[in-house]
């Protein structure tokens, strides 16, 4: 949908460039040339288009810490701020990072919904509510693109779980698609005009998404007017004719895809019209023009935004995202001593697993943050309980590098090895190394243990390995996991292979050598494996007893509990909502010893909190990004208040109305229809632990008045507490006449506002027409439902303070 003169001028350049390409060049442009980029075509002045993973940071084209990335809090945290403007600022920073790394397109944001709490990748998505998701996503996209970098809103559509994600057929009613799963994409297309979209692996109602002509060509492009490029999720494209006819522009990654030579041949054989190929090429050239890599076309952004301080913004988002769900006067911390407890306080998890991984220059743990913020001598620390109950990729205490050798044993290249994980995909190889010369990769360096005792070492991968520690060889054989999955090196569990006795503080030499072998069942060459490790396991009861003693001696106990990468990650769903290890036991024991116990929950999505009524305060910190520990100290000490509100309902798995993520016979039916999240909890009459929208601050708010004029809602609130604060005013729309086919109420608008003590302020919320509409499957159109509605204003979906009735 081209409108303004600058767009028209770019279209002229795009058409001229298109006319300068022959069929083979067009087909090659639509096929990734490697893992992250498209081919340059100098004859038309087109440079190579570079893409990068990055919902919370920009990793770039290499899986390495050599070029560190700012790591922002998780997308669930960003949604918990309920602040699209803050999301926009996050996007501006990420565009800045992308430009620094030579990246033109960010593979983000993820706007799939929290349909079931068991979804393993929910930390990377925003919310269970499509309206909140859409507005946060629109802010993010607007921010990134204001910096001249493209986005790909993903994963289109209904990629709401990870189990069998490549093949699952999600059976979804047209009404649920329209009222829930398509909504965030529609809002973002309308409000932020994204330059890209990424289609998902899964099928929807029998058609794989890369071939879904109805959803892509008819709805996304036709109804909504999307004019950006459509890229496949990596390795999702499977049919040359099906994909190009279904509206897929680019098949990634390369060089071997269903496009390229196969697409050119399909045109010559009369199976595909060249005009269809031209449409896809036009979309790619338009993107290239927008980001400034097509000669003769002015980029959309010619004046870049002001430089953003990444560390400061990461810290601000984190504290604005923390959700205080319970506080019996324990926070902010009073003067006195603090016992900080939990392995997660020392080794914080600041980001989620999988393709969202980035490598920040530093991370601030809760222990680091509180040590710096509290007076000397005020803080004691004990491990208490460790969430990690199995081997994980080598991290703390390891200093490693990768050494590449040819078949003769000659070194042909070296590289850094962040955390002991080698993940070289496609052309991402150390300088001087080529696939045909590479024979072995050795992870080599030192390990300095933090504990004395038997340390377990392991390997994640498939193939021939040799592991040597302190001069002793512990493994020299071929490792063949039971499940022969090409993603095993990325998402699989490590195999334990060695148990040396080590001494705390005494470094030992470590070497893991892998004989390189390339799989033929994936379309690119991948070198992937990892060295794994687990520290000696002390008696859990002894650790908890030490924590209890520290808690009993302190004025306040702060326990940090967490999930792990084996609980929340791309690649698999969750089996339950429990905290791993003995963390629940730790909390109960500490709470019994010290009534002033604060629990910080370090997870990207909901977990069960069976002890929640037995502690003085519960603070949800999500995956808080690289500055999480500093932000946590800001909030615990009261320098800042926690600003977050729940973007998704927290409750027990037994009570959760929608849980199914495992397909049966290849199908996953969305039998709940339009009732997910709070809609389903209310329909079933169940009470969650903490409702959607809930969150406490450090002051009190009085809701004074609500006025409705047409679709405009004006709400006056007063800060009736003793300190400055920020409130998120939430507006819900409820049909006055009960209707079993419609939710009891839906979020129709929100606004955040700050006020000084005693100050009264007014917020204005515009109700969207869509809040009054339902999708009519008989007429296949939106239907405006006339009648009486109650406007409900409050602090959460259950804490409603003011109402007003309107008739439409």
């Amino acid at each position: 949908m081209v409108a303004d003169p600058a767009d028209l001028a770019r279209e002229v350049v795009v058409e001229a460039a298109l006319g300068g390409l022959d069929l083979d060049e067009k087909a090659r442009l639509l096929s990734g040339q490697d893992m992250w980029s498209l081919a340059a075509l100098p004859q038309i002045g087109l440079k190579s288009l570079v893409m990068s993973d990055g919902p919370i940071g920009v990793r770039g084209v290499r899986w390495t810490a050599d070029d560190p990335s700012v790591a922002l809090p998780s997308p669930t945290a960003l949604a918990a701020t309920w602040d699209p403007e803050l999301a926009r600022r996050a996007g501006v920073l990420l565009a800045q990072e992308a430009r620094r790394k030579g990246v033109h397109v960010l593979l983000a944001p993820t706007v799939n919904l929290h349909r079931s709490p068991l979804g393993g990748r929910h930390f990377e998505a925003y919310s269970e509510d499509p309206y909140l998701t859409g507005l946060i996503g629109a802010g993010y996209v607007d921010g990134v693109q204001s910096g001249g970098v493209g986005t790909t809103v993903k994963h289109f559509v209904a990629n709401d779980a990870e189990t069998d994600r490549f093949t699952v057929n999600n059976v979804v009613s047209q009404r649920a698609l329209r009222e829930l799963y398509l909504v965030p994409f529609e809002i973002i297309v309308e409000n932020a005009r994204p330059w890209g979209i990424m289609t998902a692996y899964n099928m929807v109602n029998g058609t794989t998404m890369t071939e879904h002509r109805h959803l892509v060509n008819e709805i996304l492009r036709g109804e909504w007017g999307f004019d950006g490029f459509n890229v496949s999720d990596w390795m999702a494209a499977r049919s040359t004719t099906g994909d190009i006819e279904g509206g897929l522009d680019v098949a990634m990654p390369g060089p071997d895809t269903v496009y390229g030579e196969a697409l050119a041949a399909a045109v010559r054989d009369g199976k595909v019209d060249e005009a269809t190929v031209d449409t896809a090429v036009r979309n790619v050239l338009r993107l290239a023009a927008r980001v400034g890599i097509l000669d003769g076309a002015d980029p959309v952004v010619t004046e870049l935004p002001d430089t953003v301080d990444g560390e400061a913004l990461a810290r601000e988002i984190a504290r604005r995202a923390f959700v205080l769900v319970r506080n019996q006067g324990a926070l902010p911390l009073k003067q006195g001593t603090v016992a900080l407890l939990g392995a997660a306080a020392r080794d914080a998890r600041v980001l989620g697993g999988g393709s969202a991984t980035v490598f920040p220059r530093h991370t601030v743990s809760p222990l680091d943050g509180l040590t710096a913020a509290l007076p000397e001598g005020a803080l004691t620390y004990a491990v208490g309980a460790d969430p990690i109950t199995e081997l994980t990729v080598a991290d703390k205490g390891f200093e490693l590098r990768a050494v590449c050798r040819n078949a003769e044993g000659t070194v042909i290249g070296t590289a850094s090895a962040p955390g002991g994980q080698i993940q070289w995909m496609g052309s991402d190889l150390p300088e001087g190394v080529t696939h045909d010369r590479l024979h072995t990769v050795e992870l080599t360096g030192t390990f300095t243990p933090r504990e004395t005792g038997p340390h377990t070492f392991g390997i994640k991968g498939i193939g021939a390995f040799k592991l040597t520690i302190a001069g002793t060889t512990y493994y020299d054989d071929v490792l063949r996991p039971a499940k022969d999955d090409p993603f095993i090196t990325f998402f699989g569990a490590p195999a334990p292979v060695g148990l040396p006795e080590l001494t705390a503080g005494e470094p030992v030499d470590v070497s893991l050598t892998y004989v390189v072998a390339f799989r033929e069942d994936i379309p690119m060459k991948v070198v992937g494996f990892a060295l794994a490790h687990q520290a000696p396991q002390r008696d859990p009861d002894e650790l908890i007893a030490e924590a209890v003693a520290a808690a009993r001696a302190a004025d306040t106990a702060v326990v940090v509990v967490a999930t792990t990468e084996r609980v929340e990650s791309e690649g698999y769903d969750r089996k339950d909502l429990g905290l791993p290890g003995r963390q629940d036991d730790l909390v109960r024991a500490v709470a019994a010893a010290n009534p002033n116990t604060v629990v910080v929950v370090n997870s990207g999505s909901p977990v069960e909190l069976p002890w929640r009524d037995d502690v003085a305060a519960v603070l949800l910190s999500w995956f808080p990004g690289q500055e999480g520990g500093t932000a946590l100290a800001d909030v615990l000490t009261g320098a800042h208040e926690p600003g977050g509100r729940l973007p998704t309902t927290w409750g027990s798995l037994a009570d959760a109305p929608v849980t199914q993520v495992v397909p049966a016979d290849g199908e996953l039916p969305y039998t709940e229809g339009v009732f997910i999240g709070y809609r389903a909890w209310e329909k079933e009459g169940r009470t969650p632990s903490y409702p959607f929208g809930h969150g406490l601050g450090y002051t009190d708010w009085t809701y004074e008045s609500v006025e409705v004029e047409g679709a405009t809602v004006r709400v006056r609130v007063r800060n009736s507490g003793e300190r400055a604060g920020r409130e998120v005013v939430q507006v819900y729309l409820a049909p006055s006449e009960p209707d079993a086919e419609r939710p009891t109420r839906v979020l129709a608008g929100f606004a955040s506002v700050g006020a000084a003590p005693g100050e009264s302020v007014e917020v204005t919320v515009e109700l969207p027409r869509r809040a009054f509409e339902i999708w009519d499957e008989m007429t296949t159109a939106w239907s405006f439902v006339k009648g009486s509605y109650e406007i409900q204003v409050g602090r959460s979906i259950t804490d409603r303070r003011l109402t007003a009735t309107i008739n439409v």
Side-chain angles (χ1 to χ4, degrees), residues 131-170:
Y131 186 65
L132 175 60
T133 296
L135 291 190
I136 296 294
Y140 180 103
V141 167
D142 185 57
V144 174
Q145 294 185 173
S146 76
V149 174
T151 56
T152 59
V153 189
K154 64 184 188 181
H155 309 86
F156 190 75
V157 61
N159 182 184
D160 310 301
E162 293 294 281
T163 304
D164 296 343
R165 62 178 176 161
F166 292 100
T167 56
V168 62
N169 177 26
N170 294 326

Side-chain angles (χ1 to χ4, degrees), residues 6 52 102 151 153 167 183 282 341 392 449 494 501 590 617 628 634 662 665 710:
S52 171
T151 56
V153 189
T167 56
V183 170
R282 192 176 286 113
L341 312 167
T392 58
E501 287 279 342
V590 168
D634 288 342
V662 178
D665 298 323

Side-chain angles (χ1 to χ4, degrees), residues 75-426:
T76 42
L78 190 59
T81 69
W82 289 58
D83 191 341
E85 171 57 23
L86 192 56
R88 190 197 65 79
R89 291 170 55 205
V92 171
L93 168 67
L94 295 176
Q96 176 180 300
E97 286 277 282
R99 292 193 310 272
R100 181 175 65 80
K101 295 193 174 202
V103 168
H104 306 114
V105 176
L106 200 58
L107 302 173
T110 301
V111 298
N112 300 114
L113 298 182
H114 297 176
R115 173 180 168 267
S116 161
L118 294 176
R121 203 175 180 180
H122 280 352
F123 63 87
E124 199 181 315
Y126 292 129
S127 167
E128 69 188 27
D129 182 78
Y131 186 65
L132 175 60
T133 296
L135 291 190
I136 296 294
Y140 180 103
V141 167
D142 185 57
V144 174
Q145 294 185 173
S146 76
V149 174
T151 56
T152 59
V153 189
K154 64 184 188 181
H155 309 86
F156 190 75
V157 61
N159 182 184
D160 310 301
E162 293 294 281
T163 304
D164 296 343
R165 62 178 176 161
F166 292 100
T167 56
V168 62
N169 177 26
N170 294 326
V171 181
V172 194
S173 72
Q174 292 302 310
R175 183 174 175 189
L177 273 171
R178 292 286 191 161
E179 294 187 22
L180 292 177
Y181 303 102
L182 289 170
V183 170
F185 296 94
E186 184 179 10
I187 289 173
I188 293 169
V189 169
E190 181 181 347
N191 292 282
R193 199 180 169 196
W195 300 344
I197 204 107
M198 181 190 290
T199 41
Y201 293 119
N202 54 278
M203 290 190 281
V204 172
N205 299 330
T207 303
T208 191
M209 276 309 306
T210 57
E211 302 173 37
H212 216 304
R213 184 186 183 95
H214 171 61
L215 290 175
V216 173
N217 283 347
E218 295 174 11
I219 296 179
L220 174 65
R221 292 197 185 280
E223 289 184 29
W224 303 349
F226 172 70
D227 67 353
F229 95 130
N230 172 13
V231 62
S232 71
D233 204 340
W234 266 226
M235 294 189 284
R238 294 157 213 167
S239 165
T240 301
T241 56
D243 285 327
I244 197 71
E245 296 289 349
L248 181 72
D249 298 326
V250 173
M252 290 295 291
D256 299 323
T257 79
V258 297
Y259 285 174
E261 292 179 6
L263 181 57
V267 173
R268 292 190 175 104
D269 292 344
K271 296 176 182 176
V272 173
D273 190 325
E274 188 168 354
T276 305
V277 175
D278 286 350
T279 297
V281 172
R282 192 176 286 113
N283 292 332
V284 175
L285 293 175
R286 184 180 299 123
L287 173 65
R290 284 170 168 168
V291 300
I293 58 170
L294 181 61
D295 287 354
D298 290 332
V300 171
V301 177
T302 53
E303 290 188 26
L304 294 174
D306 292 341
T307 301
V308 179
D309 182 329
E311 289 185 10
L313 184 59
R315 182 174 180 176
E316 180 185 352
I317 293 172
R319 64 191 182 219
R320 288 278 309 279
F322 292 161
V323 182
L324 184 61
V325 293
R326 176 178 172 84
N327 188 19
Q328 302 296 105
L331 293 179
L333 295 172
K334 312 295 187 292
Q335 284 191 334
T337 55
V338 175
L340 182 62
L341 312 167
R346 178 189 64 191
D347 303 322
R349 187 167 179 212
V350 301
L351 48 85
S355 60
T357 300
V358 294
F359 304 102
R361 191 178 306 280
H362 68 266
T363 61
V364 184
S365 69
L367 180 56
D368 296 333
L370 280 172
T371 297
L374 295 177
E376 189 172 349
L379 185 71
T380 57
Y381 172 72
V383 171
D386 196 334
I388 298 174
T389 57
E390 56 188 353
L391 285 88
T392 58
V393 173
D395 184 13
K396 298 290 189 295
F398 287 86
E399 295 286 338
L400 300 171
R401 63 192 179 100
V403 178
C404 301
R405 295 182 173 87
N406 62 17
E408 291 73 46
T410 303
V411 175
I412 57 175
T414 62
S416 68
Q421 174 107 30
I422 297 297
Q423 198 72 33
W424 298 336
M425 296 169 279

Side-chain angles (χ1 to χ4, degrees), residues 540-597:
D541 292 326
E542 188 179 303
L543 288 174
I544 290 173
E546 289 178 0
V548 166
R552 192 172 284 124
D555 295 309
T556 303
V558 176
V559 186
V560 183
V561 297
T563 59
T564 69
E565 197 161 301
R566 296 296 298 162
V567 174
E568 291 184 86
S569 173
E570 179 184 352
Y572 42 84
D573 290 311
R574 298 160 75 182
K575 300 289 190 292
D576 57 53
L577 301 183
L579 287 167
R582 295 281 302 277
Q583 295 182 101
D584 287 333
D585 293 339
L586 171 66
V587 173
R588 289 188 182 99
V590 168
N594 188 329
N596 211 33
T597 293

Side-chain angles (χ1 to χ4, degrees), residues 67 74 101 158 255 304 313 326 328 334 386 407 451 471 484 487 501 549 569 596 649 652 698 707 747 800:
D67 184 9
S74 64
K101 295 193 174 202
L304 294 174
L313 184 59
R326 176 178 172 84
Q328 302 296 105
K334 312 295 187 292
D386 196 334
E451 298 93 356
D484 190 23
F487 285 87
E501 287 279 342
S569 173
N596 211 33
T649 306
S652 70
Y698 288 157
E707 294 179 3
L747 179 70
R800 303 184 295 275

